Amino acid sequence: MHVTRKIKVILIVLDGLGDRTYEVLGHRTPLAAAATPNLDKLARMGANGTYHAGVPGQCLPSENAHFLMFGYDMAAFPGRGFLEAAGFGVPCGDKDVAILAHLCRVRFSGGIPHLEYGRDEITGTRDELAPLYERLTPYETNGAVLELHHTRRNEAILVARGNVSPDISDSDPIYTHAPVGRIVPLAESTDPLLAKKTADYMNQYLAWCCRRLKGVKAAGKSKDPAVRGNFLVTQRAGRRVDQQLFSDKWGFSPAMIASGGLFKGIAMTLGFDFSEAADTGAPGGDLAERIRMALDDEAHDFVHVHTKVPDEVSHNGTPELKTEVIAALDGGFAGLLKVLGKREDLLAVITADHSTPACSGLVHSGETVPVIMAGTAIRRDRVDRFDEIAAVTGSLGFLRGAELMHMVLNCTDRAILEGLRLGAVRRPFLRVDYPLFVTAPAVKRGRKQEPLPE
């Protein structure tokens, strides 16, 4: 057997694309209701199926979904707090704990704060909110120092240094009118005493923040007190965990084209070269440019292209608006469609990381998402539409977690026959760096290599 070609992979993830059916859309999903001629042509060119990064029904955030999609075990997940710290360049040592934080507005009932306005409802620009964040750092207590790093408009990363543990719960209830949570040690912590001390430090800090914010307003013209932050909430603590590089795990040279600190953090953690992409407000044009960058990239053979737009419109819009945005994104696939039919060295994988319902009490939902694999080494099926329902009948069937990457290896002719072993470490891909059999003396790195015995 001879491997005669090297196929490049472009994995395009439309974040939060999956959804539910709505009466206003004729009992269709926004994707099914949208005009998507390019995606439909890609579906006809390829193999189709459905995908879930975890377990069907499991509601995954983007960071967990991508971690699983790339074939990693959640036992080694470092936490979103750490990933964002890495992406935003916040100093975070190996023993430090990084926690997401943001201002909100609460009302007190019986001494218990209840969430009244969340992160996105607090008004003010980043500069206007900066004085409030500056009032909340640093905080020192017996055994720990807490530093708050303001990253985006109303977002920050809290870094806890000293004798601390990442095994603590969240204070942010997310849902409006819900009471703020007391931070407690996680039951599965391997060091319950240290986790309890860390939780105590955090509760003391949040109480101190509340006192520091009392009666203080952010700079700016708005005088509406209902949208001014008077409390800091936290969630998703994490700490650095050593990871196997994606290149070592799957045999590809990877790159990522995306926007936002989270995805830069994922790229840095797993060994992707990262290109920051601009969000201009033109979804189709932005996606077209990212795909062009991926096609022109000759330094990498696995390029992950990401857009957050479907997820964002799901959180802030309506099913009708999400349908319009998906139609706009479809225009971004025109360049890929034109190239794909002419190249035999290209595999395009198009999917989503999770479903985000446009109308639901859930942040994300657990339904599957559609997936296309279009290229030369695939089974073309009879699916002629790219949506959650049509994809069910496709030849890929239902893929979960790392199965997506295993199918990518298969469709690029890189998968190794199970049971074959070249070298000391087993990998799922064909390797070229295994030890070579030598029967005669050979010079290697300036010294003689002993021949094998006759």
Side-chain angles (χ1 to χ4, degrees), residues 421-435:
R421 303 176 185 178
L422 288 171
V425 180
R426 298 177 65 178
R427 295 285 187 267
F429 56 88
L430 292 166
R431 301 183 62 181
V432 296
D433 61 345
Y434 51 85

mmCIF file with all atom_site columns, all heavy atoms in Angstrom, residues 421-435:
data_model
loop_
_atom_site.group_PDB
_atom_site.id
_atom_site.type_symbol
_atom_site.label_atom_id
_atom_site.label_alt_id
_atom_site.label_comp_id
_atom_site.label_asym_id
_atom_site.label_entity_id
_atom_site.label_seq_id
_atom_site.pdbx_PDB_ins_code
_atom_site.Cartn_x
_atom_site.Cartn_y
_atom_site.Cartn_z
_atom_site.occupancy
_atom_site.B_iso_or_equiv
_atom_site.pdbx_formal_charge
_atom_site.auth_seq_id
_atom_site.auth_comp_id
_atom_site.auth_asym_id
_atom_site.auth_atom_id
_atom_site.pdbx_PDB_model_num
ATOM 1   N N   . ARG A 1 421 ? 1.258  -1.607 14.740 1.00 0.00 ? 421 ARG A N   1
ATOM 2   C CA  . ARG A 1 421 ? 2.028  -0.775 15.651 1.00 0.00 ? 421 ARG A CA  1
ATOM 3   C C   . ARG A 1 421 ? 3.374  -0.442 15.029 1.00 0.00 ? 421 ARG A C   1
ATOM 4   O O   . ARG A 1 421 ? 4.153  -1.330 14.718 1.00 0.00 ? 421 ARG A O   1
ATOM 5   C CB  . ARG A 1 421 ? 2.248  -1.479 16.993 1.00 0.00 ? 421 ARG A CB  1
ATOM 6   C CG  . ARG A 1 421 ? 0.958  -1.884 17.695 1.00 0.00 ? 421 ARG A CG  1
ATOM 7   C CD  . ARG A 1 421 ? 1.240  -2.656 18.955 1.00 0.00 ? 421 ARG A CD  1
ATOM 8   N NE  . ARG A 1 421 ? 0.011  -3.145 19.564 1.00 0.00 ? 421 ARG A NE  1
ATOM 9   C CZ  . ARG A 1 421 ? -0.025 -3.904 20.675 1.00 0.00 ? 421 ARG A CZ  1
ATOM 10  N NH1 . ARG A 1 421 ? 1.102  -4.247 21.267 1.00 0.00 ? 421 ARG A NH1 1
ATOM 11  N NH2 . ARG A 1 421 ? -1.175 -4.302 21.173 1.00 0.00 ? 421 ARG A NH2 1
ATOM 12  N N   . LEU A 1 422 ? 3.677  0.826  14.886 1.00 0.00 ? 422 LEU A N   1
ATOM 13  C CA  . LEU A 1 422 ? 4.979  1.298  14.447 1.00 0.00 ? 422 LEU A CA  1
ATOM 14  C C   . LEU A 1 422 ? 5.463  2.288  15.490 1.00 0.00 ? 422 LEU A C   1
ATOM 15  O O   . LEU A 1 422 ? 4.887  3.358  15.653 1.00 0.00 ? 422 LEU A O   1
ATOM 16  C CB  . LEU A 1 422 ? 4.889  1.960  13.071 1.00 0.00 ? 422 LEU A CB  1
ATOM 17  C CG  . LEU A 1 422 ? 4.654  1.019  11.879 1.00 0.00 ? 422 LEU A CG  1
ATOM 18  C CD1 . LEU A 1 422 ? 4.354  1.809  10.622 1.00 0.00 ? 422 LEU A CD1 1
ATOM 19  C CD2 . LEU A 1 422 ? 5.856  0.110  11.671 1.00 0.00 ? 422 LEU A CD2 1
ATOM 20  N N   . GLY A 1 423 ? 6.500  1.917  16.219 1.00 0.00 ? 423 GLY A N   1
ATOM 21  C CA  . GLY A 1 423 ? 6.975  2.763  17.299 1.00 0.00 ? 423 GLY A CA  1
ATOM 22  C C   . GLY A 1 423 ? 6.373  2.376  18.631 1.00 0.00 ? 423 GLY A C   1
ATOM 23  O O   . GLY A 1 423 ? 5.484  1.522  18.725 1.00 0.00 ? 423 GLY A O   1
ATOM 24  N N   . ALA A 1 424 ? 6.861  3.017  19.685 1.00 0.00 ? 424 ALA A N   1
ATOM 25  C CA  . ALA A 1 424 ? 6.491  2.637  21.043 1.00 0.00 ? 424 ALA A CA  1
ATOM 26  C C   . ALA A 1 424 ? 5.115  3.132  21.459 1.00 0.00 ? 424 ALA A C   1
ATOM 27  O O   . ALA A 1 424 ? 4.475  2.540  22.336 1.00 0.00 ? 424 ALA A O   1
ATOM 28  C CB  . ALA A 1 424 ? 7.544  3.168  22.022 1.00 0.00 ? 424 ALA A CB  1
ATOM 29  N N   . VAL A 1 425 ? 4.634  4.219  20.844 1.00 0.00 ? 425 VAL A N   1
ATOM 30  C CA  . VAL A 1 425 ? 3.366  4.821  21.239 1.00 0.00 ? 425 VAL A CA  1
ATOM 31  C C   . VAL A 1 425 ? 2.342  4.605  20.141 1.00 0.00 ? 425 VAL A C   1
ATOM 32  O O   . VAL A 1 425 ? 2.588  4.907  18.976 1.00 0.00 ? 425 VAL A O   1
ATOM 33  C CB  . VAL A 1 425 ? 3.533  6.339  21.511 1.00 0.00 ? 425 VAL A CB  1
ATOM 34  C CG1 . VAL A 1 425 ? 2.199  6.948  21.933 1.00 0.00 ? 425 VAL A CG1 1
ATOM 35  C CG2 . VAL A 1 425 ? 4.590  6.572  22.586 1.00 0.00 ? 425 VAL A CG2 1
ATOM 36  N N   . ARG A 1 426 ? 1.190  4.100  20.503 1.00 0.00 ? 426 ARG A N   1
ATOM 37  C CA  . ARG A 1 426 ? 0.131  3.857  19.526 1.00 0.00 ? 426 ARG A CA  1
ATOM 38  C C   . ARG A 1 426 ? -0.605 5.152  19.202 1.00 0.00 ? 426 ARG A C   1
ATOM 39  O O   . ARG A 1 426 ? -0.940 5.924  20.083 1.00 0.00 ? 426 ARG A O   1
ATOM 40  C CB  . ARG A 1 426 ? -0.836 2.805  20.059 1.00 0.00 ? 426 ARG A CB  1
ATOM 41  C CG  . ARG A 1 426 ? -0.195 1.449  20.307 1.00 0.00 ? 426 ARG A CG  1
ATOM 42  C CD  . ARG A 1 426 ? -1.164 0.453  20.900 1.00 0.00 ? 426 ARG A CD  1
ATOM 43  N NE  . ARG A 1 426 ? -2.250 0.142  19.978 1.00 0.00 ? 426 ARG A NE  1
ATOM 44  C CZ  . ARG A 1 426 ? -3.214 -0.745 20.250 1.00 0.00 ? 426 ARG A CZ  1
ATOM 45  N NH1 . ARG A 1 426 ? -3.220 -1.391 21.411 1.00 0.00 ? 426 ARG A NH1 1
ATOM 46  N NH2 . ARG A 1 426 ? -4.159 -0.984 19.373 1.00 0.00 ? 426 ARG A NH2 1
ATOM 47  N N   . ARG A 1 427 ? -0.832 5.385  17.934 1.00 0.00 ? 427 ARG A N   1
ATOM 48  C CA  . ARG A 1 427 ? -1.571 6.544  17.468 1.00 0.00 ? 427 ARG A CA  1
ATOM 49  C C   . ARG A 1 427 ? -2.605 6.073  16.454 1.00 0.00 ? 427 ARG A C   1
ATOM 50  O O   . ARG A 1 427 ? -2.407 5.039  15.788 1.00 0.00 ? 427 ARG A O   1
ATOM 51  C CB  . ARG A 1 427 ? -0.633 7.569  16.812 1.00 0.00 ? 427 ARG A CB  1
ATOM 52  C CG  . ARG A 1 427 ? 0.375  8.189  17.771 1.00 0.00 ? 427 ARG A CG  1
ATOM 53  C CD  . ARG A 1 427 ? -0.288 9.221  18.678 1.00 0.00 ? 427 ARG A CD  1
ATOM 54  N NE  . ARG A 1 427 ? 0.679  9.928  19.488 1.00 0.00 ? 427 ARG A NE  1
ATOM 55  C CZ  . ARG A 1 427 ? 1.040  9.573  20.714 1.00 0.00 ? 427 ARG A CZ  1
ATOM 56  N NH1 . ARG A 1 427 ? 0.486  8.506  21.280 1.00 0.00 ? 427 ARG A NH1 1
ATOM 57  N NH2 . ARG A 1 427 ? 1.934  10.264 21.383 1.00 0.00 ? 427 ARG A NH2 1
ATOM 58  N N   . PRO A 1 428 ? -3.690 6.817  16.256 1.00 0.00 ? 428 PRO A N   1
ATOM 59  C CA  . PRO A 1 428 ? -4.732 6.366  15.324 1.00 0.00 ? 428 PRO A CA  1
ATOM 60  C C   . PRO A 1 428 ? -4.436 6.705  13.871 1.00 0.00 ? 428 PRO A C   1
ATOM 61  O O   . PRO A 1 428 ? -5.236 6.409  12.998 1.00 0.00 ? 428 PRO A O   1
ATOM 62  C CB  . PRO A 1 428 ? -5.975 7.117  15.807 1.00 0.00 ? 428 PRO A CB  1
ATOM 63  C CG  . PRO A 1 428 ? -5.434 8.377  16.399 1.00 0.00 ? 428 PRO A CG  1
ATOM 64  C CD  . PRO A 1 428 ? -4.127 8.000  17.035 1.00 0.00 ? 428 PRO A CD  1
ATOM 65  N N   . PHE A 1 429 ? -3.272 7.318  13.593 1.00 0.00 ? 429 PHE A N   1
ATOM 66  C CA  . PHE A 1 429 ? -2.970 7.756  12.234 1.00 0.00 ? 429 PHE A CA  1
ATOM 67  C C   . PHE A 1 429 ? -1.686 7.098  11.737 1.00 0.00 ? 429 PHE A C   1
ATOM 68  O O   . PHE A 1 429 ? -0.858 6.607  12.525 1.00 0.00 ? 429 PHE A O   1
ATOM 69  C CB  . PHE A 1 429 ? -2.826 9.280  12.176 1.00 0.00 ? 429 PHE A CB  1
ATOM 70  C CG  . PHE A 1 429 ? -1.794 9.847  13.125 1.00 0.00 ? 429 PHE A CG  1
ATOM 71  C CD1 . PHE A 1 429 ? -0.468 9.974  12.741 1.00 0.00 ? 429 PHE A CD1 1
ATOM 72  C CD2 . PHE A 1 429 ? -2.161 10.250 14.398 1.00 0.00 ? 429 PHE A CD2 1
ATOM 73  C CE1 . PHE A 1 429 ? 0.477  10.477 13.612 1.00 0.00 ? 429 PHE A CE1 1
ATOM 74  C CE2 . PHE A 1 429 ? -1.216 10.768 15.282 1.00 0.00 ? 429 PHE A CE2 1
ATOM 75  C CZ  . PHE A 1 429 ? 0.108  10.886 14.881 1.00 0.00 ? 429 PHE A CZ  1
ATOM 76  N N   . LEU A 1 430 ? -1.506 7.076  10.414 1.00 0.00 ? 430 LEU A N   1
ATOM 77  C CA  . LEU A 1 430 ? -0.289 6.562  9.801  1.00 0.00 ? 430 LEU A CA  1
ATOM 78  C C   . LEU A 1 430 ? 0.882  7.459  10.166 1.00 0.00 ? 430 LEU A C   1
ATOM 79  O O   . LEU A 1 430 ? 0.849  8.666  9.943  1.00 0.00 ? 430 LEU A O   1
ATOM 80  C CB  . LEU A 1 430 ? -0.450 6.505  8.281  1.00 0.00 ? 430 LEU A CB  1
ATOM 81  C CG  . LEU A 1 430 ? -1.445 5.471  7.755  1.00 0.00 ? 430 LEU A CG  1
ATOM 82  C CD1 . LEU A 1 430 ? -1.759 5.740  6.292  1.00 0.00 ? 430 LEU A CD1 1
ATOM 83  C CD2 . LEU A 1 430 ? -0.895 4.066  7.928  1.00 0.00 ? 430 LEU A CD2 1
ATOM 84  N N   . ARG A 1 431 ? 1.944  6.873  10.715 1.00 0.00 ? 431 ARG A N   1
ATOM 85  C CA  . ARG A 1 431 ? 3.083  7.654  11.197 1.00 0.00 ? 431 ARG A CA  1
ATOM 86  C C   . ARG A 1 431 ? 4.267  7.546  10.241 1.00 0.00 ? 431 ARG A C   1
ATOM 87  O O   . ARG A 1 431 ? 4.436  6.546  9.552  1.00 0.00 ? 431 ARG A O   1
ATOM 88  C CB  . ARG A 1 431 ? 3.499  7.183  12.587 1.00 0.00 ? 431 ARG A CB  1
ATOM 89  C CG  . ARG A 1 431 ? 2.389  7.293  13.622 1.00 0.00 ? 431 ARG A CG  1
ATOM 90  C CD  . ARG A 1 431 ? 2.867  6.881  14.993 1.00 0.00 ? 431 ARG A CD  1
ATOM 91  N NE  . ARG A 1 431 ? 3.940  7.752  15.476 1.00 0.00 ? 431 ARG A NE  1
ATOM 92  C CZ  . ARG A 1 431 ? 4.538  7.590  16.648 1.00 0.00 ? 431 ARG A CZ  1
ATOM 93  N NH1 . ARG A 1 431 ? 4.179  6.588  17.444 1.00 0.00 ? 431 ARG A NH1 1
ATOM 94  N NH2 . ARG A 1 431 ? 5.496  8.406  17.034 1.00 0.00 ? 431 ARG A NH2 1
ATOM 95  N N   . VAL A 1 432 ? 5.082  8.584  10.223 1.00 0.00 ? 432 VAL A N   1
ATOM 96  C CA  . VAL A 1 432 ? 6.305  8.569  9.426  1.00 0.00 ? 432 VAL A CA  1
ATOM 97  C C   . VAL A 1 432 ? 7.544  8.730  10.309 1.00 0.00 ? 432 VAL A C   1
ATOM 98  O O   . VAL A 1 432 ? 8.673  8.684  9.810  1.00 0.00 ? 432 VAL A O   1
ATOM 99  C CB  . VAL A 1 432 ? 6.286  9.690  8.366  1.00 0.00 ? 432 VAL A CB  1
ATOM 100 C CG1 . VAL A 1 432 ? 5.171  9.458  7.370  1.00 0.00 ? 432 VAL A CG1 1
ATOM 101 C CG2 . VAL A 1 432 ? 6.150  11.068 9.022  1.00 0.00 ? 432 VAL A CG2 1
ATOM 102 N N   . ASP A 1 433 ? 7.342  8.903  11.621 1.00 0.00 ? 433 ASP A N   1
ATOM 103 C CA  . ASP A 1 433 ? 8.456  9.169  12.528 1.00 0.00 ? 433 ASP A CA  1
ATOM 104 C C   . ASP A 1 433 ? 8.824  7.971  13.396 1.00 0.00 ? 433 ASP A C   1
ATOM 105 O O   . ASP A 1 433 ? 9.440  8.113  14.436 1.00 0.00 ? 433 ASP A O   1
ATOM 106 C CB  . ASP A 1 433 ? 8.122  10.358 13.428 1.00 0.00 ? 433 ASP A CB  1
ATOM 107 C CG  . ASP A 1 433 ? 6.888  10.104 14.290 1.00 0.00 ? 433 ASP A CG  1
ATOM 108 O OD1 . ASP A 1 433 ? 6.136  9.152  13.995 1.00 0.00 ? 433 ASP A OD1 1
ATOM 109 O OD2 . ASP A 1 433 ? 6.674  10.864 15.261 1.00 0.00 ? 433 ASP A OD2 1
ATOM 110 N N   . TYR A 1 434 ? 8.466  6.759  12.952 1.00 0.00 ? 434 TYR A N   1
ATOM 111 C CA  . TYR A 1 434 ? 8.770  5.579  13.755 1.00 0.00 ? 434 TYR A CA  1
ATOM 112 C C   . TYR A 1 434 ? 10.237 5.172  13.564 1.00 0.00 ? 434 TYR A C   1
ATOM 113 O O   . TYR A 1 434 ? 10.891 5.556  12.583 1.00 0.00 ? 434 TYR A O   1
ATOM 114 C CB  . TYR A 1 434 ? 7.841  4.419  13.381 1.00 0.00 ? 434 TYR A CB  1
ATOM 115 C CG  . TYR A 1 434 ? 7.768  4.122  11.900 1.00 0.00 ? 434 TYR A CG  1
ATOM 116 C CD1 . TYR A 1 434 ? 8.698  3.293  11.287 1.00 0.00 ? 434 TYR A CD1 1
ATOM 117 C CD2 . TYR A 1 434 ? 6.762  4.674  11.111 1.00 0.00 ? 434 TYR A CD2 1
ATOM 118 C CE1 . TYR A 1 434 ? 8.638  3.020  9.936  1.00 0.00 ? 434 TYR A CE1 1
ATOM 119 C CE2 . TYR A 1 434 ? 6.690  4.419  9.756  1.00 0.00 ? 434 TYR A CE2 1
ATOM 120 C CZ  . TYR A 1 434 ? 7.635  3.582  9.170  1.00 0.00 ? 434 TYR A CZ  1
ATOM 121 O OH  . TYR A 1 434 ? 7.576  3.323  7.834  1.00 0.00 ? 434 TYR A OH  1
ATOM 122 N N   . PRO A 1 435 ? 10.820 4.369  14.499 1.00 0.00 ? 435 PRO A N   1
ATOM 123 C CA  . PRO A 1 435 ? 12.220 3.934  14.374 1.00 0.00 ? 435 PRO A CA  1
ATOM 124 C C   . PRO A 1 435 ? 12.416 3.104  13.117 1.00 0.00 ? 435 PRO A C   1
ATOM 125 O O   . PRO A 1 435 ? 11.588 2.253  12.780 1.00 0.00 ? 435 PRO A O   1
ATOM 126 C CB  . PRO A 1 435 ? 12.441 3.097  15.632 1.00 0.00 ? 435 PRO A CB  1
ATOM 127 C CG  . PRO A 1 435 ? 11.387 3.544  16.580 1.00 0.00 ? 435 PRO A CG  1
ATOM 128 C CD  . PRO A 1 435 ? 10.204 3.907  15.746 1.00 0.00 ? 435 PRO A CD  1
#
